[in-house]
Amino acid sequence: MNTAPIPASPDDHTPWQVGLPSESDIIPGIISRKGTPFRRSRRLLHTALALAVGVWAAGATVQAADSQQPGDSPAKQAAAPKADASSIGYADGKYILPPLPYAYDALEPLMDATTVRLHHDKHHAAYVAGANAAAQKLREIAEGKLEASQAAKWAQTLSFNAAGHNLHTVYWTNMSPAPQIAPQGTLETAIDRTYGSTANLVRLFKAVALGIEGSGWAILGVDPASKELVLYGVEKHQNNEIPGIIPILACDVWEHAYYLKHQNNRAAYIDNFLKLVDWKNVENRYAAALGNN
């Protein structure tokens, strides 16, 4: 199991910080939803544990989409894509840091090797360590070893770190040094139905990513109730998050993702990220979210 030591705080926004959802809109005209601060430990604990299950489910869903089953026909097994170990973020009762699916320098010149190394090995690893520490504290609270009054603190810490881990796990696999450059099949049909065209989706995705105030993510996800695509922005990793949405494309716009190469030019970083998007990975995640595998 690939576990990581607890590293030093990776940036000014330490993954051990506790934060309540903000009151800002996501992006007017695309998704407008107010964050509501939780005031009860029980609700915080429920939210954080649900988020933890979501992290496991996101990895397990894509793993199922990418895996061959012993009972499958030979033709189905031959057609099924190989399991992607880097899409699995939880194993043996702990969050794990998945290995990168490519070398540190594989995304050059669009993403520099130094940033990729630090981003994965330090920042992402810190969220994994923080999620495991918070989950352990919540277990100890449930067992009566710690005071129940600590539940709110550790539930918020789990929410922040598990959400960061979940989104980074999507982010790394969304990119490839040899990407499929456009969506196809059912995903392309869904994009055309919802956004008019892939070009228009990309335009709106960039607008969402540029519009994040401070640190956060632009996300294309699937609503499990309607099975429709949803485009929205998240502050930090969990503020303004829409419960239940399954991310299939995620762009990290925390400064640690781009500052060494792009400095304050977030727009250039987003353009480079979109050039690296492997739409085949997004298609696999879309199919898994629909339950078609």
Side-chain angles (χ1 to χ4, degrees), residues 11 13 17 22 24 26-27 119 127 160 163-164 167-168 171 205 208-219 232-241 249-258 266 269-270 273:
D11 47 41
H13 304 277
Q17 69 188 12
S22 71
S24 61
I26 296 175
I27 290 293
H119 194 174
Y127 301 130
F160 177 82
L167 291 173
H168 277 91
Y171 172 78
F205 190 92
V208 171
L210 281 170
I212 300 296
E213 296 182 351
S215 302
W217 296 77
I219 298 171
Y232 65 109
V234 169
E235 293 177 1
K236 295 200 290 187
H237 306 302
Q238 82 287 17
N239 290 359
N240 294 328
E241 176 264 344
L249 177 64
C251 180
D252 187 353
V253 293
W254 283 64
E255 288 184 346
H256 65 228
Y258 62 88
R266 182 189 286 186
Y269 158 73
I270 295 167
F273 167 80

Side-chain angles (χ1 to χ4, degrees), residues 10 40 43 58 81 84 89 111 129 135 144 159 175 178 205-206 211 225 234 244 249 251 254 256-257 259 265-266 288:
R40 295 184 177 86
R43 290 182 66 191
D84 181 2
M111 298 281 182
S159 176
M175 294 184 290
F205 190 92
K206 289 169 65 174
V234 169
L249 177 64
C251 180
W254 283 64
H256 65 228
Y259 214 83
N265 193 349
R266 182 189 286 186

Side-chain angles (χ1 to χ4, degrees), residues 100 102-109 111-114 116-117 177:
L100 283 173
Y102 34 73
Y104 294 116
D105 62 354
L107 304 181
E108 296 269 14
M111 298 281 182
D112 62 290
T114 300
V116 171
R117 183 188 297 272

Side-chain angles (χ1 to χ4, degrees), residues 32 145 165 184 211 233:
S32 181
K145 296 177 181 178
H165 171 45
Q184 301 174 5

Side-chain angles (χ1 to χ4, degrees), residues 108-130:
E108 296 269 14
L110 300 176
M111 298 281 182
D112 62 290
T114 300
T115 294
V116 171
R117 183 188 297 272
L118 289 172
H119 194 174
H120 178 268
D121 294 2
K122 299 298 183 183
H123 296 271
H124 189 172
Y127 301 130
V128 173

Side-chain angles (χ1 to χ4, degrees), residues 24-44:
S24 61
D25 288 332
I26 296 175
I27 290 293
I30 298 177
I31 291 290
S32 181
R33 179 179 182 272
K34 298 284 188 180
T36 303
F38 297 113
R39 293 181 173 85
R40 295 184 177 86
S41 297
R42 182 176 297 176
R43 290 182 66 191
L44 277 165

